Short mmCIF file of all heavy atoms in Angstrom, two decimals:
data_model
loop_
_atom_site.label_atom_id
_atom_site.label_comp_id
_atom_site.label_asym_id
_atom_site.label_seq_id
_atom_site.Cartn_x
_atom_site.Cartn_y
_atom_site.Cartn_z
N LEU A 1027 84.18 105.13 119.07
CA LEU A 1027 85.46 105.67 119.51
C LEU A 1027 85.36 107.16 119.83
O LEU A 1027 85.89 107.64 120.82
CB LEU A 1027 86.53 105.44 118.43
CG LEU A 1027 86.97 104.01 118.22
CD1 LEU A 1027 87.84 103.90 116.97
CD2 LEU A 1027 87.70 103.47 119.43
N VAL A 1028 84.66 107.89 118.96
CA VAL A 1028 84.49 109.33 119.17
C VAL A 1028 83.67 109.61 120.43
O VAL A 1028 84.01 110.48 121.23
CB VAL A 1028 83.85 109.97 117.92
CG1 VAL A 1028 83.33 111.36 118.21
CG2 VAL A 1028 84.86 109.99 116.78
N LEU A 1029 82.60 108.84 120.65
CA LEU A 1029 81.79 109.04 121.86
C LEU A 1029 82.58 108.69 123.12
O LEU A 1029 82.49 109.40 124.13
CB LEU A 1029 80.52 108.20 121.80
CG LEU A 1029 79.45 108.68 120.84
CD1 LEU A 1029 78.26 107.72 120.86
CD2 LEU A 1029 79.00 110.10 121.15
N ALA A 1030 83.37 107.62 123.06
CA ALA A 1030 84.18 107.24 124.22
C ALA A 1030 85.22 108.32 124.52
O ALA A 1030 85.45 108.67 125.69
CB ALA A 1030 84.87 105.90 123.98
N ALA A 1031 85.84 108.86 123.48
CA ALA A 1031 86.81 109.94 123.68
C ALA A 1031 86.14 111.18 124.24
O ALA A 1031 86.66 111.84 125.15
CB ALA A 1031 87.51 110.26 122.36
N TRP A 1032 84.97 111.51 123.70
CA TRP A 1032 84.23 112.69 124.17
C TRP A 1032 83.88 112.54 125.65
O TRP A 1032 83.99 113.49 126.41
CB TRP A 1032 82.96 112.84 123.34
CG TRP A 1032 82.21 114.11 123.62
CD1 TRP A 1032 81.19 114.27 124.50
CD2 TRP A 1032 82.44 115.39 123.04
NE1 TRP A 1032 80.75 115.57 124.49
CE2 TRP A 1032 81.50 116.29 123.61
CE3 TRP A 1032 83.34 115.86 122.10
CZ2 TRP A 1032 81.46 117.62 123.26
CZ3 TRP A 1032 83.28 117.20 121.74
CH2 TRP A 1032 82.35 118.06 122.33
N ASP A 1033 83.50 111.33 126.06
CA ASP A 1033 83.17 111.06 127.46
C ASP A 1033 84.37 111.30 128.37
O ASP A 1033 84.21 111.60 129.54
CB ASP A 1033 82.66 109.62 127.60
CG ASP A 1033 82.09 109.35 128.98
OD1 ASP A 1033 81.23 110.13 129.44
OD2 ASP A 1033 82.53 108.36 129.61
N ARG A 1034 85.57 111.16 127.81
CA ARG A 1034 86.80 111.38 128.58
C ARG A 1034 87.37 112.78 128.33
O ARG A 1034 88.53 113.04 128.57
CB ARG A 1034 87.81 110.30 128.24
CG ARG A 1034 87.40 108.97 128.85
CD ARG A 1034 88.08 107.80 128.19
NE ARG A 1034 87.65 106.54 128.76
CZ ARG A 1034 86.50 105.93 128.52
NH1 ARG A 1034 85.62 106.50 127.71
NH2 ARG A 1034 86.20 104.79 129.07
N ARG A 1035 86.54 113.64 127.79
CA ARG A 1035 86.84 115.05 127.53
C ARG A 1035 87.87 115.29 126.42
O ARG A 1035 88.40 116.38 126.29
CB ARG A 1035 87.25 115.76 128.81
CG ARG A 1035 86.12 115.88 129.81
CD ARG A 1035 86.53 116.69 131.01
NE ARG A 1035 85.48 117.14 131.87
CZ ARG A 1035 84.57 116.40 132.48
NH1 ARG A 1035 84.52 115.12 132.29
NH2 ARG A 1035 83.68 116.94 133.29
N ALA A 1036 88.15 114.27 125.64
CA ALA A 1036 89.00 114.46 124.46
C ALA A 1036 88.12 115.00 123.33
O ALA A 1036 86.92 114.80 123.32
CB ALA A 1036 89.65 113.14 124.04
N ARG A 1037 88.72 115.69 122.40
CA ARG A 1037 88.00 116.22 121.26
C ARG A 1037 88.59 115.65 119.99
O ARG A 1037 89.73 115.21 119.96
CB ARG A 1037 88.08 117.75 121.25
CG ARG A 1037 87.43 118.38 122.49
CD ARG A 1037 85.96 117.99 122.59
NE ARG A 1037 85.35 118.51 123.80
CZ ARG A 1037 85.00 117.76 124.84
NH1 ARG A 1037 85.22 116.46 124.84
NH2 ARG A 1037 84.42 118.30 125.89
N GLN A 1038 87.82 115.68 118.91
CA GLN A 1038 88.26 115.04 117.69
C GLN A 1038 87.70 115.75 116.47
O GLN A 1038 86.75 116.50 116.56
CB GLN A 1038 87.88 113.57 117.67
CG GLN A 1038 86.41 113.29 117.84
CD GLN A 1038 85.94 113.43 119.28
OE1 GLN A 1038 86.63 113.01 120.18
NE2 GLN A 1038 84.80 114.04 119.49
N CYS A 1039 88.34 115.43 115.35
CA CYS A 1039 87.89 115.97 114.08
C CYS A 1039 88.04 114.88 113.04
O CYS A 1039 89.13 114.36 112.83
CB CYS A 1039 88.73 117.19 113.70
SG CYS A 1039 88.23 117.93 112.14
N HIS A 1040 86.93 114.49 112.41
CA HIS A 1040 86.99 113.50 111.32
C HIS A 1040 87.67 114.16 110.14
O HIS A 1040 87.45 115.33 109.86
CB HIS A 1040 85.58 113.05 110.94
CG HIS A 1040 84.87 112.40 112.07
ND1 HIS A 1040 84.92 111.04 112.28
CD2 HIS A 1040 84.15 112.91 113.08
CE1 HIS A 1040 84.24 110.75 113.36
NE2 HIS A 1040 83.76 111.88 113.86
N ASN A 1041 88.48 113.37 109.45
CA ASN A 1041 89.33 113.98 108.47
C ASN A 1041 89.46 113.09 107.23
O ASN A 1041 89.97 111.98 107.32
CB ASN A 1041 90.70 114.19 109.13
CG ASN A 1041 91.62 115.02 108.31
OD1 ASN A 1041 91.42 115.18 107.13
ND2 ASN A 1041 92.64 115.53 108.94
N GLY A 1042 89.03 113.59 106.10
CA GLY A 1042 89.08 112.81 104.87
C GLY A 1042 90.39 112.91 104.11
O GLY A 1042 90.58 112.22 103.11
N GLN A 1043 91.33 113.73 104.57
CA GLN A 1043 92.58 113.86 103.84
C GLN A 1043 93.37 112.55 103.80
O GLN A 1043 94.16 112.33 102.89
CB GLN A 1043 93.47 114.96 104.43
CG GLN A 1043 93.13 116.33 103.90
CD GLN A 1043 92.08 117.02 104.74
OE1 GLN A 1043 91.32 116.40 105.45
NE2 GLN A 1043 92.03 118.33 104.65
N GLY A 1044 93.15 111.66 104.75
CA GLY A 1044 93.81 110.36 104.73
C GLY A 1044 93.41 109.53 103.54
O GLY A 1044 94.14 108.65 103.10
N ILE A 1045 92.23 109.82 103.00
CA ILE A 1045 91.77 109.10 101.82
C ILE A 1045 92.39 109.72 100.56
O ILE A 1045 92.84 109.01 99.68
CB ILE A 1045 90.23 109.15 101.73
CG1 ILE A 1045 89.61 108.43 102.93
CG2 ILE A 1045 89.74 108.52 100.44
CD1 ILE A 1045 88.13 108.67 103.08
N THR A 1046 92.46 111.03 100.51
CA THR A 1046 92.96 111.68 99.30
C THR A 1046 94.46 111.49 99.12
O THR A 1046 94.95 111.49 98.00
CB THR A 1046 92.64 113.18 99.30
OG1 THR A 1046 93.27 113.80 100.43
CG2 THR A 1046 91.15 113.43 99.32
N ARG A 1047 95.19 111.32 100.20
CA ARG A 1047 96.63 111.08 100.11
C ARG A 1047 96.98 109.79 100.86
O ARG A 1047 97.85 109.75 101.71
CB ARG A 1047 97.43 112.25 100.69
CG ARG A 1047 97.38 113.50 99.84
CD ARG A 1047 97.76 113.30 98.37
NE ARG A 1047 98.95 112.52 98.13
CZ ARG A 1047 100.12 113.01 97.77
NH1 ARG A 1047 100.25 114.29 97.60
NH2 ARG A 1047 101.15 112.22 97.57
N SER A 1048 96.28 108.72 100.50
CA SER A 1048 96.48 107.45 101.18
C SER A 1048 97.90 106.93 101.01
O SER A 1048 98.40 106.20 101.87
CB SER A 1048 95.47 106.42 100.70
OG SER A 1048 95.62 106.19 99.33
N ASP A 1049 98.60 107.32 99.94
CA ASP A 1049 99.97 106.86 99.75
C ASP A 1049 100.87 107.34 100.89
O ASP A 1049 101.69 106.58 101.42
CB ASP A 1049 100.51 107.32 98.39
CG ASP A 1049 100.43 108.83 98.18
OD1 ASP A 1049 99.51 109.48 98.73
OD2 ASP A 1049 101.29 109.37 97.46
N ILE A 1050 100.70 108.58 101.30
CA ILE A 1050 101.51 109.13 102.39
C ILE A 1050 101.10 108.51 103.72
O ILE A 1050 101.94 108.12 104.52
CB ILE A 1050 101.37 110.67 102.43
CG1 ILE A 1050 101.97 111.27 101.16
CG2 ILE A 1050 102.05 111.24 103.68
CD1 ILE A 1050 101.72 112.75 101.00
N VAL A 1051 99.79 108.40 103.95
CA VAL A 1051 99.30 107.80 105.19
C VAL A 1051 99.80 106.36 105.31
O VAL A 1051 100.26 105.93 106.37
CB VAL A 1051 97.76 107.88 105.28
CG1 VAL A 1051 97.24 107.14 106.50
CG2 VAL A 1051 97.31 109.32 105.30
N ARG A 1052 99.72 105.61 104.23
CA ARG A 1052 100.21 104.22 104.24
C ARG A 1052 101.67 104.14 104.63
O ARG A 1052 102.08 103.32 105.44
CB ARG A 1052 100.05 103.59 102.86
CG ARG A 1052 98.71 103.11 102.55
CD ARG A 1052 98.66 102.47 101.17
NE ARG A 1052 97.29 102.40 100.73
CZ ARG A 1052 96.40 101.58 101.26
NH1 ARG A 1052 96.74 100.76 102.21
NH2 ARG A 1052 95.16 101.58 100.82
N GLU A 1053 102.47 105.01 104.02
CA GLU A 1053 103.91 104.98 104.29
C GLU A 1053 104.22 105.33 105.74
O GLU A 1053 104.96 104.61 106.41
CB GLU A 1053 104.63 105.96 103.35
CG GLU A 1053 106.12 105.97 103.53
CD GLU A 1053 106.81 106.97 102.62
OE1 GLU A 1053 106.22 107.37 101.59
OE2 GLU A 1053 107.95 107.35 102.95
N VAL A 1054 103.64 106.41 106.22
CA VAL A 1054 103.92 106.87 107.59
C VAL A 1054 103.40 105.89 108.63
O VAL A 1054 104.06 105.60 109.62
CB VAL A 1054 103.33 108.29 107.81
CG1 VAL A 1054 103.43 108.71 109.26
CG2 VAL A 1054 104.04 109.29 106.92
N ALA A 1055 102.18 105.36 108.42
CA ALA A 1055 101.56 104.48 109.41
C ALA A 1055 101.86 103.00 109.18
O ALA A 1055 101.46 102.16 109.98
CB ALA A 1055 100.05 104.70 109.42
N GLY A 1056 102.54 102.67 108.08
CA GLY A 1056 102.86 101.27 107.80
C GLY A 1056 101.63 100.43 107.49
O GLY A 1056 101.53 99.28 107.92
N ILE A 1057 100.70 100.99 106.75
CA ILE A 1057 99.46 100.28 106.40
C ILE A 1057 99.68 99.53 105.08
O ILE A 1057 100.05 100.14 104.08
CB ILE A 1057 98.28 101.27 106.27
CG1 ILE A 1057 98.05 101.96 107.61
CG2 ILE A 1057 97.02 100.56 105.80
CD1 ILE A 1057 97.08 103.11 107.55
#
């Protein structure tokens, strides 16, 4: 996914905060 986005000139940052506050991520994203 990151390589495909990079090929389309999008940029990205991997982010571990979704793991440390998975309760908030779950609620917001409906996981």
Side-chain angles (χ1 to χ4, degrees):
L1027 290 170
V1028 165
L1029 287 178
W1032 187 267
D1033 189 52
R1034 287 161 182 77
R1035 293 185 166 56
R1037 298 301 177 251
Q1038 57 283 319
C1039 180
H1040 299 268
N1041 190 342
Q1043 275 90 338
I1045 297 168
T1046 61
R1047 289 308 313 256
S1048 61
D1049 56 329
I1050 295 171
V1051 174
R1052 279 181 198 290
E1053 181 181 339
V1054 172
I1057 298 170

